[in-house]
């Protein structure tokens, strides 16, 4: 089952992983790729790179090369200290 953004926020709050004073950036559409949060401050969302890529190919109907280019360009945008982290699991 895929979580929604609201589910993720509630789960983080319920587990005491995100306080009302903290800020986290969650990416629309990548909920199924959400892995958790960093343990270091500032808290950052962790995403599985390969699942994000799969989302772009399947849901957004991009070919592989276009999806890789778009994802890499998106990942390299400067969103500040709270930018999500994308992990290439091996």
């Amino acid at each position: 089952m895929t979580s929604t953004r609201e589910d993720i926020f509630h789960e983080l709050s319920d587990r005491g992983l995100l306080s009302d004073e903290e800020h986290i950036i969650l990416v629309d559409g990548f909920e199924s790729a959400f892995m958790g949060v960093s343990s270091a401050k500032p808290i950052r969302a962790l995403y599985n790179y390969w699942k994000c890529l799969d989302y772009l190919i399947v849901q957004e109907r991009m070919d592989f090369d276009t999806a890789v280019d778009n994802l890499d360009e998106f990942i390299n945008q400067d969103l500040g200290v709270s930018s999500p982290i994308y992990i290439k699991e091996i």
Side-chain angles (χ1 to χ4, degrees):
M1 181 173 112
T2 301
S3 298
T4 64
R5 289 173 59 90
E6 293 77 24
D7 293 338
I8 293 170
F9 276 119
H10 287 293
E11 190 70 25
L12 293 172
S13 179
D14 290 349
R15 291 180 180 224
L17 298 173
L18 184 67
S19 70
D20 291 337
E21 296 81 35
E22 293 176 301
H23 176 75
I24 189 170
I25 297 173
L26 297 179
V27 181
D28 288 332
F30 289 168
E31 291 83 6
S32 65
F34 181 77
M35 298 175 69
V37 295
S38 62
S39 56
K41 303 289 182 182
I43 290 178
R44 297 166 68 183
L46 304 174
Y47 288 95
N48 181 308
Y49 177 91
W50 306 117
K51 288 184 180 181
C52 293
L53 186 61
D54 185 61
Y55 170 83
L56 294 175
I57 293 168
V58 174
Q59 299 298 321
E60 300 296 324
R61 300 178 187 254
M62 293 181 187
D63 63 67
F64 179 81
D65 291 335
T66 301
V68 168
D69 290 344
N70 281 309
L71 183 56
D72 289 346
E73 183 179 326
F74 180 75
I75 288 171
N76 288 310
Q77 291 180 9
D78 183 9
L79 302 177
V81 296
S82 297
S83 293
I85 298 169
Y86 297 85
I87 297 171
K88 291 182 177 179
E89 251 184 335
I90 56 170

